Amino acid sequence: MTKIFQFIVVVAMLSPLVARAEIAIRTSLLFDGTDQLLENRDIVVDGDRITRITPHGDHFDIDLRGFTVTPGWIDAHSHIAARIDGEGNYPPPNQLGNETRDEALLAVAVNAWRTLHAGFTTIQSPGDRLDGPIKQAVENAGFPGPRILTSLDILQAATAGSQQEVRRYVEQMEAAGADFIKLFADSHGELSKEQLAAACDEARKRGMRVLVHAWGIEAARRAVAGRCTTIEHGTELDASILSEMTKHGIYYSPSLDVPVHYARRTAELPDPAVYTSSDRTKMPQEYLDYVATFRQALASGVPIIFASDAVADTHGRNADEFVWRVLDGGQPPMAAIASATSVAATALGLGDEIGRLAPGYVADIVAVSGDLFADIRRVTKVKFVMKAGKVIRNESNN
């Protein structure tokens, strides 16, 4: 066992991840993850599952009255292995910077810890080989991180090869333990319509999903033609593409925070915790263009899932994305939270397990102070996190 995994095991042992036989959580405002707001309910958790939701009874163990309680949040695009190395650089996926592998893994573990404590109990990471060890540490050693789905790698034009080689890549990634396939349709060279179709067809045969990075409209057209699962970014989507996506059940995974968190490296931008739409003039032009596409997508009815595209130095700030989508993008607060709960869970193939507060579902629970639906900025004030019945964070008395 390497030193880093000895450290991870020690952290897991010291973390307050004890699941009692039965826990009653008292709430005053509960969002079930779909479209239901319930008042004055107790959530009863036994082991890692919710067993029942009832009117207030005689007994409770955790008091979350005065908070908005929701299912644990799901970030469908979070680069958990993105980090800053010892020289202040940003190593590309599957490469080490000025760091040892153990130092890199430690940075990834810190990212995972921050993400979970920010209310994100599940993430999808597209994708880096360093995701694998942290995923195993979370699943097998009890390390306090989110549930991780990973592609482990990214297929780009330079390495894609023939259609047969693309199919072989999908087969190899499945054998390596990838949960899904991530493709770059543009930005890093262009994958052809035939390559995309081969990847998505092979993945479907194997019960795997395909996320397609497509900034431009032509890349998005090729991905839709291949019936891929999700279009990532899609800043140039138009009404015709959105209509085709809706028709074929292809998810849209925008990340309005992308131009914000990159611009923030060199400029001071408004704080989402106190952001108002009057601050929009201080935001990058690329962000404003992205917001316009998001508004068009929202009006089209295409299924939209939550995705922050968290990178180095933004893990734990994933929830900023909610603020941009609601205050500038015009998404209703309840729909924004649903995009990170039941909608995202369905998109990830986990709709029967997570993303809802209902009997039989995994007990992933988040609480923020006050009425979240009156002020979406409260996503930055997470006070309680439970993952699979285990209390991760509880500042409900603060």
Side-chain angles (χ1 to χ4, degrees), residues 128-186:
D128 194 303
R129 295 279 179 173
L130 289 177
D131 296 349
I134 299 303
K135 175 178 179 174
Q136 292 171 11
V138 171
E139 292 178 355
N140 302 325
F143 182 78
R147 193 175 292 104
I148 298 173
L149 282 70
T150 175
S151 64
L152 293 176
D153 207 342
I154 302 171
L155 183 66
Q156 303 180 26
T159 56
S162 67
Q163 293 179 55
Q164 191 56 42
E165 288 172 313
V166 169
R167 290 181 182 275
R168 193 175 304 120
Y169 171 85
V170 173
E171 178 184 6
Q172 291 170 345
M173 295 315 299
E174 180 190 34
D179 299 294
F180 61 95
I181 303 298
K182 169 70 183 293
L183 309 176
F184 268 114
D186 60 10

Side-chain angles (χ1 to χ4, degrees), residues 28-184:
S28 54
L29 184 63
L30 179 157
F31 175 58
D32 76 343
T34 60
D35 58 1
Q36 296 294 312
L37 270 178
L38 303 174
E39 295 183 347
N40 301 322
R41 295 294 195 275
D42 288 342
I43 307 170
V44 181
V45 175
D46 192 347
D48 66 348
R49 299 276 166 168
I50 298 170
T51 57
R52 58 193 184 275
I53 297 177
T54 68
H56 287 171
D58 296 331
H59 166 80
F60 63 89
D61 301 290
I62 297 172
D63 190 357
L64 295 181
R65 286 173 294 182
F67 296 80
T68 302
V69 178
T70 79
W73 300 334
I74 301 166
D75 191 339
H77 192 137
S78 173
H79 295 278
I80 201 68
R83 62 202 181 278
I84 300 173
D85 71 10
E87 292 184 346
N89 298 317
Y90 302 87
N94 291 318
Q95 295 183 35
L96 292 177
N98 181 35
E99 59 193 347
T100 65
R101 188 170 185 273
D102 275 0
E103 288 170 338
L105 283 169
L106 178 58
V108 180
V110 170
N111 290 344
W113 188 93
R114 287 175 173 165
T115 300
L116 180 60
H117 281 72
F120 290 86
T121 52
T122 302
I123 64 159
Q124 184 167 249
S125 181
D128 194 303
R129 295 279 179 173
L130 289 177
D131 296 349
I134 299 303
K135 175 178 179 174
Q136 292 171 11
V138 171
E139 292 178 355
N140 302 325
F143 182 78
R147 193 175 292 104
I148 298 173
L149 282 70
T150 175
S151 64
L152 293 176
D153 207 342
I154 302 171
L155 183 66
Q156 303 180 26
T159 56
S162 67
Q163 293 179 55
Q164 191 56 42
E165 288 172 313
V166 169
R167 290 181 182 275
R168 193 175 304 120
Y169 171 85
V170 173
E171 178 184 6
Q172 291 170 345
M173 295 315 299
E174 180 190 34
D179 299 294
F180 61 95
I181 303 298
K182 169 70 183 293
L183 309 176
F184 268 114

Side-chain angles (χ1 to χ4, degrees), residues 207-395:
M208 300 181 75
R209 296 168 296 108
V210 179
L211 278 60
V212 180
H213 170 111
W215 284 103
I217 192 166
E218 292 307 319
R221 289 190 200 281
R222 296 194 299 274
V224 170
R227 303 293 182 263
C228 302
T229 312
T230 307
I231 303 296
E232 308 290 312
H233 307 304
T235 52
E236 296 180 8
L237 297 181
D238 64 11
S240 64
I241 290 291
L242 290 165
S243 176
E244 284 294 299
M245 290 171 64
T246 304
K247 177 181 176 181
H248 296 290
I250 296 172
Y251 289 92
Y252 180 37
S253 177
S255 303
L256 303 186
D257 196 52
V258 169
V260 179
H261 61 231
Y262 283 120
R264 198 177 271 130
R265 291 178 179 177
T266 57
E268 186 173 341
L269 294 177
D271 181 353
V274 294
Y275 186 82
T276 67
S277 290
S278 63
D279 291 322
R280 195 179 306 167
T281 57
K282 304 172 186 175
M283 301 295 271
Q285 183 59 47
E286 187 181 356
Y287 166 80
L288 301 178
D289 295 340
Y290 212 158
V291 166
T293 301
F294 180 82
R295 283 181 167 271
Q296 186 178 21
L298 202 60
S300 76
V302 70
I304 299 175
I305 56 178
F306 183 91
S308 73
D309 199 1
V311 292
D313 209 30
T314 68
H315 299 285
R317 297 192 58 171
N318 314 56
D320 291 0
E321 179 76 15
F322 286 121
V323 178
W324 315 138
R325 290 188 180 200
V326 172
L327 294 188
D328 286 342
Q331 189 172 32
M334 194 177 297
I337 300 301
S339 77
T341 52
S342 62
V343 179
T346 300
L348 270 57
L350 298 173
D352 293 332
E353 288 286 307
I354 62 174
R356 290 184 60 189
L357 296 181
Y361 278 75
V362 174
D364 292 348
I365 301 172
V366 172
V368 302
S369 57
D371 185 348
L372 174 59
F373 301 110
D375 184 356
I376 193 63
R377 296 172 299 182
R378 292 183 181 276
V379 291
T380 63
K381 297 178 173 62
V382 171
K383 296 296 185 181
F384 178 88
V385 179
M386 172 181 280
K387 179 192 168 197
K390 298 176 182 178
V391 176
I392 304 297
R393 177 178 186 173
N394 188 0
E395 299 171 16

